[in-house]
Amino acid sequence: MVGVNPEVAHETMAGLSFHHAVGQALWAGKLFHIDLNAQRIGRFDQDYRFGAEDLKEAFLLVRLLERAGYDGPLHFDAHPYRNEDADGVWDFVRGCMRTYLLLAERGAHLRRPPRGPRSARPRPARTNWPSRRSPPAGESPDALKQAADDLDALATRGYANEHLDQLLVEVLLGVR
């Protein structure tokens, strides 16, 4: 029995996308434990409060864990600022947990069907995004693994990534 224990800061220091590494571990059935914190790219191991840096990456990670039904250990391998008193340390602890739960709620919000007719939904000012189809839905991981063998076909398929990235920003900003 072998598994991995990835840490946000270690992947970020190397300039990698942590949620992609976690996705690969989940896909292989080898995510046994996870260390949650925050980090700036190109710095030493800072172990900031979870969500304190790169909120979009933290959101994508939490959404991935929640959608995958991950029920293993979540560990906040992070440290408060050195100048915090005892109350500040407990604020830090609550902040790590609250950020995870808030991001999980935003991820659940993203899955909820919109209320009301499309024309009545609130839209942020100055965004006239063309209508795009959603990424392929209902495909099993096995079907995606098979499709990955034909890279040319996979490249022409289209996933509306730019549209989805803008949607993610709007969800995080609370306008959707």
Side-chain angles (χ1 to χ4, degrees), residues 91-171:
D91 288 339
F92 161 83
V93 170
R94 282 187 294 273
C96 284
M97 293 186 287
R98 181 162 167 73
T99 298
Y100 185 95
L101 294 173
L102 288 169
L103 292 173
E105 188 281 324
R106 294 308 299 165
H109 168 80
L110 192 59
R111 288 193 309 269
R112 284 187 213 122
R115 295 184 187 126
R118 185 175 188 89
S119 61
R121 290 186 211 145
R123 302 210 31 97
R126 303 187 63 167
T127 57
N128 297 319
W129 284 88
S131 227
R132 287 287 310 252
R133 65 175 175 80
S134 296
E139 292 183 350
S140 70
D142 290 334
L144 291 174
K145 287 179 186 178
Q146 286 177 328
D149 291 336
D150 186 0
L151 294 179
D152 291 333
L154 198 58
T156 61
R157 173 181 169 151
Y159 283 88
N161 287 325
E162 288 297 334
H163 180 74
L164 291 173
D165 187 63
Q166 181 60 33
L167 175 64
L168 169 71
V169 169
E170 291 175 16
V171 166

Side-chain angles (χ1 to χ4, degrees), residues 57-68:
E57 186 77 10
F59 171 80
L60 292 170
L61 171 63
V62 170
R63 185 167 184 259
L64 172 65
L65 292 170
E66 294 294 312
R67 289 185 70 193

Side-chain angles (χ1 to χ4, degrees), residues 66-78:
E66 294 294 312
R67 289 185 70 193
Y70 174 72
D71 62 356
L74 295 172
H75 176 236
F76 294 103
D77 180 9

Side-chain angles (χ1 to χ4, degrees), residues 1 8 11 16 18-19 25-26 37 44 47 59 68 86-87 103 107 127 136 142 144 154 161 175:
M1 184 161 88
V8 172
E11 296 284 326
L16 302 173
F18 188 65
H19 77 274
L26 285 166
N37 53 25
F44 58 91
D47 292 336
F59 171 80
D87 289 337
L103 292 173
T127 57
D142 290 334
L144 291 174
L154 198 58
N161 287 325
V175 297

Side-chain angles (χ1 to χ4, degrees), residues 28-43:
K30 296 296 183 179
L31 183 62
F32 287 11
H33 185 273
I34 189 166
D35 286 342
L36 303 173
N37 53 25
Q39 174 74 29
R40 290 189 185 142
I41 291 176
R43 302 285 178 104

